[in-house]
Coordinates of all heavy atoms in Angstrom, one line a residue:
Chain R
V7 N 161.7 35.6 438.5 CA 161.7 34.5 439.4 C 162.9 34.3 440.3 O 163.0 33.6 441.2 CB 161.5 33.1 438.7 CG1 160.1 33.0 438.2 CG2 162.5 32.9 437.7
L25 N 174.6 14.5 449.9 CA 173.7 13.5 449.3 C 174.5 12.3 448.9 O 175.5 12.4 448.2 CB 173.0 14.1 448.0 CG 171.9 13.3 447.5 CD1 170.7 13.2 448.5 CD2 171.4 13.9 446.1
N39 N 176.7 18.1 447.0 CA 176.1 19.3 447.5 C 175.8 20.2 446.3 O 176.6 20.5 445.6 CB 177.0 20.1 448.5 CG 177.4 19.3 449.6 OD1 176.6 18.9 450.5 ND2 178.7 18.9 449.8
F41 N 173.4 23.6 444.9 CA 172.6 24.8 445.2 C 172.2 25.5 443.9 O 173.0 26.1 443.3 CB 173.4 25.7 446.1 CG 173.9 25.1 447.4 CD1 175.1 24.5 447.5 CD2 173.0 25.0 448.5 CE1 175.5 23.8 448.7 CE2 173.4 24.4 449.7 CZ 174.6 23.8 449.8
E46 N 167.6 29.2 436.9 CA 168.9 28.9 436.4 C 168.9 27.6 435.6 O 168.1 26.7 435.8 CB 169.8 28.6 437.6 CG 171.3 28.5 437.3 CD 172.1 28.3 438.6 OE1 171.6 27.9 439.7 OE2 173.3 28.6 438.5
S59 N 172.6 10.4 436.5 CA 171.2 9.9 436.5 C 170.7 9.5 437.9 O 169.6 9.7 438.2 CB 171.1 8.7 435.6 OG 171.4 9.2 434.3
L70 N 165.3 6.7 446.8 CA 165.6 7.4 448.1 C 167.1 7.5 448.3 O 167.9 6.6 447.9 CB 165.1 6.5 449.2 CG 163.5 6.5 449.5 CD1 163.2 5.5 450.5 CD2 163.1 7.8 449.9
P87 N 157.3 13.6 449.0 CA 157.5 13.4 447.5 C 156.3 13.9 446.6 O 156.6 14.4 445.5 CB 157.5 11.8 447.5 CG 156.9 11.3 448.8 CD 157.2 12.4 449.8
I94 N 157.5 19.4 439.7 CA 158.6 19.1 438.8 C 158.1 18.5 437.5 O 157.0 17.8 437.5 CB 159.7 18.2 439.4 CG1 159.1 16.8 439.8 CG2 160.3 18.9 440.6 CD1 160.1 15.8 440.1
K106 N 152.0 2.9 421.8 CA 150.7 2.5 421.3 C 149.7 3.6 421.4 O 148.5 3.4 421.2 CB 150.2 1.3 422.1 CG 151.0 0.0 421.8 CD 150.7 -0.5 420.4 CE 151.6 -1.8 420.2 NZ 151.5 -2.2 418.7
Q116 N 148.8 12.6 430.5 CA 149.7 13.2 431.5 C 149.1 14.4 432.2 O 149.2 14.5 433.4 CB 150.9 13.6 430.6 CG 152.1 14.0 431.4 CD 152.9 12.7 432.0 OE1 152.5 11.6 431.6 NE2 153.8 12.9 432.8
L135 N 152.4 22.2 421.7 CA 152.6 21.8 420.3 C 153.3 22.9 419.6 O 154.1 22.6 418.7 CB 151.3 21.3 419.7 CG 150.7 20.0 420.2 CD1 149.5 19.7 419.5 CD2 151.7 18.9 420.2
E136 N 153.0 24.1 419.9 CA 153.6 25.2 419.2 C 155.1 25.3 419.7 O 156.0 25.6 418.9 CB 153.0 26.6 419.6 CG 151.7 26.8 418.9 CD 151.1 28.2 419.2 OE1 151.9 29.1 419.2 OE2 149.9 28.2 419.5
S143 N 151.8 15.6 413.4 CA 152.1 14.2 413.8 C 151.6 13.8 415.2 O 151.6 12.7 415.6 CB 153.7 14.1 413.9 OG 154.2 14.4 412.7
I148 N 152.8 7.0 418.4 CA 154.1 7.4 418.8 C 155.1 6.5 418.2 O 156.3 6.9 417.8 CB 154.3 7.5 420.3 CG1 153.4 8.6 420.8 CG2 155.7 7.7 420.7 CD1 153.2 8.6 422.4
P169 N 155.5 23.0 435.2 CA 156.3 22.8 436.4 C 157.2 23.9 436.7 O 157.6 24.7 435.8 CB 157.0 21.5 436.1 CG 157.2 21.5 434.7 CD 156.0 22.1 434.1
E176 N 170.2 13.8 430.1 CA 170.8 13.5 428.8 C 169.7 13.7 427.6 O 169.4 12.7 426.9 CB 171.5 12.2 428.7 CG 172.4 12.0 429.9 CD 173.5 11.0 429.6 OE1 173.6 10.5 428.5 OE2 174.3 10.8 430.5
D182 N 170.5 13.2 416.2 CA 171.4 13.7 415.1 C 171.6 15.2 415.4 O 170.8 15.8 416.1 CB 170.7 13.5 413.7 CG 169.4 14.1 413.6 OD1 169.4 15.4 413.4 OD2 168.4 13.5 413.8
V189 N 166.4 20.7 420.1 CA 166.1 20.5 421.5 C 166.8 21.6 422.3 O 166.2 22.2 423.2 CB 166.6 19.1 422.0 CG1 166.5 19.0 423.5 CG2 165.7 18.0 421.3
I196 N 162.3 27.7 426.8 CA 161.6 27.4 428.0 C 162.2 28.2 429.2 O 161.4 28.8 430.0 CB 161.6 25.9 428.3 CG1 160.8 25.1 427.3 CG2 161.1 25.6 429.7 CD1 161.2 23.7 427.2
H198 N 164.1 30.9 429.1 CA 164.1 32.4 428.9 C 162.7 32.9 429.0 O 162.5 33.9 429.7 CB 164.7 32.7 427.5 CG 164.8 34.2 427.2 ND1 165.6 35.0 427.9 CD2 164.1 35.0 426.4 CE1 165.5 36.2 427.5 NE2 164.5 36.2 426.6
L200 N 159.8 31.4 430.2 CA 159.0 30.9 431.4 C 159.8 31.1 432.7 O 159.3 30.9 433.7 CB 158.6 29.5 431.2 CG 157.8 29.1 430.0 CD1 157.4 27.7 430.0 CD2 156.6 30.0 429.8
S244 N 194.1 30.8 430.1 CA 193.4 31.6 429.0 C 193.4 30.8 427.7 O 192.5 30.8 426.9 CB 194.0 32.9 428.8 OG 193.9 33.7 430.0
I247 N 197.7 24.9 424.8 CA 198.5 24.4 423.6 C 198.6 22.9 423.8 O 199.0 22.4 424.8 CB 199.9 25.1 423.7 CG1 199.8 26.6 423.5 CG2 200.9 24.5 422.6 CD1 201.1 27.3 423.9
V316 N 188.9 21.2 431.5 CA 188.6 21.3 432.9 C 188.5 20.0 433.5 O 189.0 19.7 434.6 CB 187.3 22.1 433.1 CG1 187.0 22.3 434.6 CG2 187.4 23.5 432.5
E333 N 182.5 2.1 430.4 CA 181.8 1.1 429.6 C 182.5 -0.2 429.7 O 182.0 -1.3 429.8 CB 181.7 1.6 428.1 CG 180.6 2.6 427.9 CD 180.6 3.3 426.6 OE1 181.3 2.7 425.6 OE2 180.0 4.3 426.4
L337 N 181.3 -4.0 431.1 CA 181.5 -5.3 430.4 C 182.1 -6.3 431.3 O 181.9 -7.5 431.3 CB 182.3 -5.2 429.1 CG 181.7 -4.3 428.0 CD1 182.6 -4.1 426.8 CD2 180.5 -5.0 427.4

Side-chain angles (χ1 to χ4, degrees):
Chain R
V7 288
L25 195 64
N39 299 298
F41 301 94
E46 190 176 21
S59 297
L70 287 174
I94 62 167
K106 295 288 179 186
Q116 195 74 8
L135 291 181
E136 285 184 46
S143 303
I148 294 166
E176 304 204 6
D182 61 80
V189 172
I196 290 160
H198 183 70
L200 306 181
S244 298
I247 295 168
V316 180
E333 280 169 19
L337 291 174

